[in-house]
Amino acid sequence: MPAAPPDITAPSPWVRRFAGLVAPGGRVLDVAAGRGRHARFFHGRGHPVTAVDRDTTPLADLAQIPGAEVVRADLEDGRPWPFAGRSFAAVVVVNYLYRPLLPALIDAVRPDGVLLYATFMRGNEAFSRPRDPAHLLAPGELLAAFGHALRPVAFDQGRIERGDIPGVVQRLCAVGPRRPGPDPLPAPDGGS
């Protein structure tokens, strides 16, 4: 019997694994939110949320919920980062890569906040989209991009068979420089 397709409406197992590191009641930014699965997940955990995407149509219902903010912005059109001067208890980025945005993401993480990032890397082109090298991380790229400003808690890279979308991925959980540490690593939830 073939395996069931992944549930792309459920939160990423990586995000679920580290959700407990986010300060209770702290605002969470879901970058390139799509249908808002991570914003919805954190809102359900009692966090105010901000979801940003260039198409906010799938987020219309979320925009009506108290504690939820939906921002329509094309993050790649050359306009200023829409959250300049704001910081968040957590910044979540899943299945999205736009390298010029990486410094803004660092600035968006509160000094005691959390970055949860998971996206595709080189090698994925042999299995599925994306295949364009501009949209695939180089080995260790997330650590290189964020490790100088944030403290890595967990990092992995390679092929996964289970989780959001099977493929070749890179994942990072990092915390701000003022986060009391060390953080205990949450136990794997059995997912990828």
Side-chain angles (χ1 to χ4, degrees):
M1 177 191 310
D7 181 359
I8 59 170
T9 62
S12 160
W14 186 257
V15 171
R16 279 196 324 262
R17 179 179 174 189
F18 295 103
L21 295 179
V22 181
R27 183 167 286 275
V28 175
L29 174 62
D30 186 359
V31 177
R35 295 182 183 104
R37 64 185 172 140
H38 296 109
R40 294 172 199 283
F41 169 71
F42 278 104
H43 191 272
R45 291 176 60 94
H47 294 275
V49 296
T50 299
V52 59
D53 205 289
R54 67 179 172 198
D55 178 8
T56 57
T57 305
L59 302 168
D61 64 315
L62 184 65
Q64 305 305 312
I65 299 172
E69 173 188 24
V70 173
V71 176
R72 183 173 178 255
D74 183 339
L75 300 174
E76 300 177 24
D77 68 0
R79 293 184 190 172
W81 169 242
F83 305 105
R86 291 180 68 183
S87 61
F88 299 85
V91 174
V92 177
V93 187
V94 176
N95 299 337
Y96 177 73
L97 176 63
Y98 183 61
R99 288 176 179 88
L101 193 60
L102 299 181
L105 296 177
I106 292 169
D107 292 343
V109 176
R110 281 188 346 201
D112 64 344
V114 179
L115 172 71
L116 299 172
Y117 205 130
T119 197
F120 299 100
M121 67 177 286
R122 289 183 195 156
N124 192 70
E125 64 277 11
F127 301 99
S128 67
R129 294 179 41 209
R131 290 185 169 95
D132 181 345
H135 300 287
L136 298 170
L137 292 164
E141 188 173 350
L142 285 180
L143 277 177
F146 295 105
H148 67 283
L150 302 173
R151 182 167 38 99
V153 171
F155 171 79
D156 73 2
Q157 60 186 357
R159 185 172 177 182
I160 60 168
E161 301 296 331
R162 298 180 302 150
D164 302 339
I165 302 171
V168 182
V169 301
Q170 200 168 125
R171 303 180 289 193
L172 175 69
C173 172
V175 296
R178 292 201 189 135
R179 174 102 182 189
D183 289 297
L185 292 179
D189 64 356
S192 303

